[in-house]
Amino acid sequence: MPSLDRFFLFLLMLFAAAIAVPMQWPLPPQIAAMLPMMPWAVMAAALLLSQIYQQGRMGFVVLLSMGNFGVASYLQQALGGSNINADVQLGYWLWGLTAPLLLLLFALLPSRLVFHPRAWGHWLLLLTVVFAAGLLWQQSALLAPLSPWLQTRQLPLFSWSPAPLLLLALQLIVTLICWIRYLQTKSHDGVAVALAQVALLLSSLWIGEAQQLALLATCLASAQLLLVLGLGHQLAFIDELTAIPGRRALNMALARLGRRYTLAMLDIDHFKKFNDTHGHDVGDEVLQMVAQRLTLVTHGGKVYRYGGEEFTVLFSGKQPAQVKAALEAVRQDIADYPFVVRSAKRKGADLQQGRGQRGEGGGKTVQVTISLGVANRTSNRTDTDAVLKAADKALYVAKKAGRNCLRIAPKAQD
């Protein structure tokens, strides 16, 4: 199961615990007193980091979550008494109907940083919806046709909740859409939107419970902060094109190595010629294919994109003789892989001047091969720079030997 799926399921269980725990065990007074302020602090940190890491959609999801928690806290106090004001109940209904639609709209809109001039359209949409909801709140007669749907229903499982039928139906539909969208994208943004909507649905049902609302918001805020930090880590250490760790991650891995390790430097044979012949778009696909096949290497090898068409495979605690078969297997796997240069489809974006000449091969199958140089730490090569240099020299030897082969650096090499 992918890590994002596990994270999503864990947060759903945490949401359930946030609802169930206060029902069974009252929170200590010190925690209960601090709880209402915790979501604000954590969400503020997530919002700031989203701006720093250039994650606009995540930032707006956090901003909407902050607004939803603020409205829910106000409504909880107003709806908690025995005499519920009709205007307050109308405000609850309007919030429950507009908040999920806003969340869905911001999930579909292009990503924009929250505090950036280009986000003026997003802010205009947000303020327009808030203004329209406020107008309907003041002119409640406009909602008269929906009155039968907005009456509190005695639902079998939620008879204690003031959530009306239309609100529940809409939020369940939006929750389902957010879930489907996450399954399609498998992205951090998709997780954030889906979790925010689930938290909104649960908050609507438990609107009268202060501790449940605060716990839900705290769990959601913590999840958003972790997602923003995860995106920051991805930007810093994961190569965007190939989705494998990049040079910075390799440098950190090399700094943590022990005294025994082997690394392989490899690159794609004739990549520049291939790029010039078939176009940069196809060249990117070759890089992605090679990276994906390299991740299948056995014996504990960790794959990194070194730069350009070069990759590094790192084996901790291994000698060259122990990993040679694994590297030969992945080299042969790439050579045998039927890479098809697909025919060009003349779309408008592809007709722009300067775009790659993708697909000039007319749909033919071409062979992609790699050459590898392998080196390990020895008494003559005690630092990682020396081992990398030795592996690079061995790679050069493999190129001179005809490519599509593996060469191991001699132990006595300087």
Side-chain angles (χ1 to χ4, degrees):
M1 181 183 294
S3 57
L4 277 179
D5 289 346
R6 292 195 297 269
F7 181 77
F8 188 85
L9 291 176
F10 172 74
L11 262 297
L12 291 181
M13 291 187 290
L14 204 59
F15 284 175
I19 298 296
V21 167
M23 293 181 177
Q24 301 296 325
W25 302 281
L27 298 177
Q30 298 86 348
I31 296 180
M34 294 174 54
L35 195 58
M37 298 305 300
M38 292 177 64
W40 295 110
V42 181
M43 286 184 184
L47 182 60
L48 176 62
L49 288 175
S50 71
Q51 188 77 7
I52 294 174
Y53 291 145
Q54 306 285 298
Q55 298 300 321
R57 181 172 289 108
M58 182 74 73
F60 271 105
V61 171
V62 175
L63 185 67
L64 291 174
S65 299
M66 295 178 75
N68 287 333
F69 177 61
V71 174
S73 299
Y74 166 76
L75 292 173
Q76 182 275 322
Q77 297 177 6
L79 294 171
S82 56
N83 296 322
I84 300 178
N85 186 287
D87 290 337
V88 173
Q89 190 171 31
L90 177 61
Y92 162 70
W93 288 339
L94 288 171
W95 166 69
L97 292 171
T98 56
L101 294 178
L102 263 179
L103 192 61
L104 185 59
L105 282 174
F106 277 90
L108 299 175
L109 287 173
S111 181
R112 295 287 186 272
L113 289 178
V114 174
F115 305 110
H116 192 279
R118 293 186 64 190
W120 68 268
H122 292 57
W123 281 103
L124 180 62
L125 173 63
L126 177 61
L127 295 175
T128 300
V129 173
V130 172
F131 176 78
L135 181 63
L136 289 173
W137 192 18
Q138 295 298 322
Q139 304 292 329
S140 57
L142 298 175
L143 291 176
L146 295 178
S147 181
W149 288 89
L150 296 178
Q151 298 303 315
T152 301
R153 302 302 176 110
Q154 297 295 315
L155 300 177
L157 297 179
F158 307 112
S159 59
W160 35 263
S161 172
L165 185 60
L166 183 60
L167 184 152
L168 278 177
L170 176 65
Q171 294 218 20
L172 285 172
I173 291 172
V174 174
T175 302
L176 180 61
I177 294 174
C178 292
W179 170 250
I180 294 173
R181 181 171 174 79
Y182 162 67
L183 292 178
Q184 292 174 339
T185 61
K186 293 289 184 177
S187 65
H188 288 71
D189 288 347
V191 174
V193 172
L195 288 175
Q197 176 52 36
V198 171
L200 179 61
L201 173 61
L202 295 176
S203 298
S204 301
L205 293 173
W206 275 270
I207 192 66
E209 305 295 333
Q211 290 189 351
Q212 276 87 344
L213 289 179
L215 280 173
L216 276 172
T218 301
C219 292
L220 176 62
S222 302
Q224 291 170 340
L225 181 60
L226 290 174
L227 287 169
V228 172
L229 291 173
L231 281 169
H233 176 273
Q234 187 172 358
L235 289 172
F237 297 103
I238 304 299
D239 179 65
E240 184 177 6
L241 176 64
T242 60
I244 63 174
R247 182 74 169 270
R248 185 176 297 176
L250 172 63
N251 291 337
M252 293 190 65
L254 291 174
R256 297 192 300 265
L257 285 173
R259 297 174 60 85
R260 183 179 181 183
Y261 62 90
T262 295
L263 60 84
M265 290 292 295
L266 61 98
D267 74 359
I268 302 170
D269 296 329
H270 302 295
F271 183 74
K272 184 179 184 303
K273 181 179 178 181
F274 189 95
N275 230 11
D276 294 340
T277 302
H278 301 290
H280 293 286
D281 289 347
V282 178
D284 288 347
E285 292 180 4
V286 171
L287 290 170
Q288 292 168 340
M289 182 275 289
V290 170
Q292 191 274 327
R293 307 310 295 179
L294 286 174
T295 58
L296 303 178
V297 68
T298 57
H299 290 67
K302 302 295 183 182
V303 182
Y304 304 85
R305 187 180 181 191
Y306 191 79
E309 69 269 27
E310 288 189 296
F311 297 85
T312 302
V313 186
L314 184 60
F315 299 88
S316 180
K318 303 290 185 180
Q319 294 290 346
Q322 295 175 289
V323 303
K324 181 180 179 181
L327 291 171
E328 288 283 13
V330 77
R331 178 194 62 77
Q332 191 62 48
D333 176 68
I334 292 172
D336 294 340
Y337 187 84
F339 184 81
V340 178
V341 180
R342 292 172 290 176
S343 299
K345 296 181 179 180
R346 297 187 62 81
K347 297 180 180 180
D350 293 331
L351 297 178
Q352 296 177 8
Q353 186 176 5
R355 294 295 300 269
Q357 306 165 14
R358 184 185 184 281
E360 280 191 351
K364 68 179 180 181
T365 300
V366 297
Q367 185 184 40
V368 178
T369 62
I370 60 172
S371 300
L372 304 94
V374 182
N376 65 314
R377 184 186 184 276
T378 66
S379 58
N380 297 325
R381 300 189 291 261
T382 56
D383 61 87
T384 55
D385 287 340
V387 179
L388 281 168
K389 184 178 179 181
D392 203 47
K393 287 184 177 180
L395 172 60
Y396 178 77
V397 173
K399 293 284 190 181
K400 298 294 285 185
R403 295 181 170 83
N404 190 24
C405 62
L406 178 150
R407 293 294 183 265
I408 298 177
K411 293 182 179 180
Q413 185 179 18
D414 294 331

